[in-house]
Amino acid sequence: HSLPVEMQFKLLNIPYNNYKTQKCKFYENEKMCRFGKNCTYAHGPVDLRQPYEDLPGETISKVTQELAN
């Protein structure tokens, strides 16, 4: 059986409830970010989400895959 998503994110140091809830200051200022798709901050309004909103499916599957390794 798998761990709750909150625990999975905690183990990977990914903030669960505030994932992409704030704009990335690097992306905002320079229109680029060295973390790219791995950045936990939003790159523009499309990325921005509300706290407690469901996480994007690809994020959860990525975390699950990393835990399985």
Side-chain angles (χ1 to χ4, degrees), residues 18-34:
N18 59 356
Y19 178 78
K20 294 205 184 272
T21 57
Q22 298 171 37
K23 292 178 181 175
C24 173
K25 62 183 177 186
F26 299 109
Y27 191 81
E28 287 291 301
N29 296 334
E30 298 156 32
K31 292 296 173 215
M32 61 178 292
C33 167
R34 65 189 176 113

Side-chain angles (χ1 to χ4, degrees), residues 15-64:
Y16 178 66
N17 287 327
N18 59 356
Y19 178 78
K20 294 205 184 272
T21 57
Q22 298 171 37
K23 292 178 181 175
C24 173
K25 62 183 177 186
F26 299 109
Y27 191 81
E28 287 291 301
N29 296 334
E30 298 156 32
K31 292 296 173 215
M32 61 178 292
C33 167
R34 65 189 176 113
F35 297 107
K37 286 189 178 289
N38 295 324
C39 186
T40 57
Y41 292 92
H43 291 174
V46 175
D47 261 3
L48 209 54
R49 53 182 291 284
Q50 297 301 311
Y52 305 105
E53 198 175 286
D54 285 342
L55 289 160
E58 68 271 7
T59 304
I60 294 169
S61 61
K62 186 178 118 186
V63 169
T64 309

